[in-house]
Amino acid sequence: NASALHYHFGSRDGLLRALLEPFTGRVRTARRQLIKELEQEPSPRGAARAFVEPLAMMLEQTWRERAFLRILGALAGDPRRTPRELVKLVGDTYAKQANALLADGIPRELFGVRYPMAETMVLHVLADEAARRDARTRPSGRDRLFTPSLVDAYLAAMTSPASAEVLSALSVDAANSM
């Protein structure tokens, strides 16, 4: 009933926020803890873990948590939503703080291009893995490799050396902005 939906949630996005909040709250709490631990011993891998692991932990729980990951993947793949709109919908999960720890040494413009790509990659990979795990009847022996491998992939996507082509484009952009 559309009237009841609007009365209780204000909109479709309001309903989505209400459905996602219990899960985003857990992601937020886990990320905040990992970021706090990083204050003692900062590292790029620790920052990548702080971004990936709070989401990946949902794979090990019930179908509801895996559905949450599948919904996030679908939302991240919606070309009508900007990254800013996705954050507004999902809420603050400390993703920005986790990724700020990776930003050191990466030119700002390059970070601005890489982060949305890497974030989308993580969300889609998690959604696909959630679907695979829901479809099978027993755990795979490779499950234990999934999360650390995803952390590695995210870290590589964010911190890999820039190619000559990218450095050239950054130089042209910097020269044009003067």
Side-chain angles (χ1 to χ4, degrees):
N1 182 320
S3 296
L5 179 113
H6 281 280
Y7 176 78
H8 291 289
F9 302 105
S11 65
R12 174 184 272 176
D13 281 356
L15 174 61
L16 270 171
R17 268 191 293 283
L19 290 170
L20 298 175
E21 176 51 39
F23 305 103
T24 58
R26 288 191 280 175
V27 170
R28 183 174 33 255
T29 299
R31 261 201 198 125
R32 191 176 8 195
Q33 181 60 39
L34 288 169
I35 290 168
K36 187 176 181 181
E37 292 169 13
L38 278 172
E39 291 170 359
Q40 307 302 315
E41 200 173 322
S43 72
R45 179 155 178 82
R49 283 184 57 230
F51 181 77
V52 172
E53 287 180 1
L55 292 165
M57 72 181 184
M58 300 288 187
L59 290 169
E60 308 303 327
Q61 297 174 21
T62 72
W63 66 268
R64 288 176 180 85
E65 286 80 3
R66 289 188 296 279
F68 164 74
L69 292 174
R70 293 171 78 177
I71 291 168
L72 280 184
L75 290 171
D78 184 348
R80 297 167 298 185
R81 288 190 192 274
T82 66
R84 182 165 285 151
E85 290 170 338
L86 185 59
V87 168
K88 186 178 175 186
L89 178 65
V90 173
D92 181 14
T93 61
Y94 282 79
K96 186 175 181 179
Q97 292 85 336
N99 286 296
L101 299 170
L102 274 175
D104 266 355
I106 303 173
R108 182 183 172 129
E109 185 178 2
L110 182 57
F111 183 86
V113 170
R114 284 185 174 178
Y115 172 62
M117 288 190 297
E119 177 186 48
T120 300
M121 173 197 71
V122 167
L123 294 175
H124 282 279
V125 167
L126 285 167
D128 290 348
E129 182 65 11
R132 270 191 290 284
R133 290 189 186 192
D134 282 339
R136 60 181 202 229
T137 56
R138 59 187 161 134
S140 164
R142 296 181 353 187
D143 287 353
R144 63 184 165 64
L145 295 172
F146 179 82
T147 298
S149 295
L150 185 55
V151 170
D152 289 349
Y154 181 71
L155 182 60
M158 291 298 294
T159 63
S160 65
S163 67
E165 185 178 359
V166 168
L167 292 173
S168 175
L170 284 171
S171 298
V172 167
D173 288 348
N176 288 338
S177 67
M178 291 183 176

